[in-house]
């Protein structure tokens, strides 16, 4: 899984569609339907790649669904696209904690 480069500003139609998809994803997330929330939010981000906060939503949903690698990728992509975020140190610490948790829960080598 990767996130494509952001090529610029979305059209008004794409912005509107992304907002609708965001709301649908929020509903799914609140219902603990994380796979569906992920799909809505990924679709929203595809339509409006300037809505980088969606990457944090995706990270939360991926983490709750147990896909730590995708959660880490979402947060790393967020930091690359918004390196000046005031919460960057906290987000980086979260990434480190997820990596440590993943390492600690990995099965021992055979």
């Amino acid at each position: 899984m990767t996130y494509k480069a952001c090529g610029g500003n979305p059209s008004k139609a794409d912005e509107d569609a992304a907002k609708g998809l965001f709301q649908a994803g929020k509903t799914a997330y609140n219902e603990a339907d994380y796979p569906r929330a992920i799909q809505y939010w990924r679709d929203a981000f595809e339509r409006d790649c300037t809505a980088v906060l969606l990457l944090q939503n995706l990270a939360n949903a991926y983490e709750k669904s147990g896909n730590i690698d995708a959660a880490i990728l979402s947060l790393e992509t967020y930091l690359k696209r918004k390196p000046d975020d005031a919460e960057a140190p906290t987000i980086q610490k979260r990434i480190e904690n997820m990596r440590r948790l993943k390492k600690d829960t990995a099965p021992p080598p055979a």
Side-chain angles (χ1 to χ4, degrees):
M1 179 189 84
T2 59
Y3 292 100
K4 68 179 182 174
C6 190
N9 292 326
S11 68
K12 175 76 168 118
D14 281 338
E15 277 184 6
D16 291 343
K19 287 176 184 176
L21 289 163
F22 168 77
Q23 288 301 324
K26 184 177 174 183
T27 298
Y29 184 87
N30 289 338
E31 293 171 351
D33 188 348
Y34 305 119
R36 196 172 61 147
I38 289 165
Q39 187 60 53
Y40 282 128
W41 286 338
R42 281 195 63 89
D43 290 348
F45 192 67
E46 286 289 316
R47 290 188 176 259
D48 183 0
C49 63
T50 66
V52 293
L53 284 175
L54 280 167
L55 293 167
Q56 287 195 41
N57 292 69
L58 281 162
N60 292 337
Y62 279 124
E63 187 175 13
K64 289 194 180 258
S65 69
N67 190 340
I68 301 302
D69 289 330
I72 290 170
L73 177 65
S74 296
L75 291 174
E76 287 175 337
T77 303
Y78 176 82
L79 289 177
K80 286 178 189 170
R81 296 193 184 184
K82 195 162 166 103
D84 59 339
D85 188 303
E87 294 295 316
T90 302
I91 294 168
Q92 188 59 48
K93 183 69 173 172
R94 182 176 173 200
I95 292 168
E96 292 167 13
N97 287 338
M98 282 192 279
R99 283 192 177 125
R100 186 171 31 262
L101 176 65
K102 184 178 174 206
K103 182 181 173 189
D104 291 347
T105 60

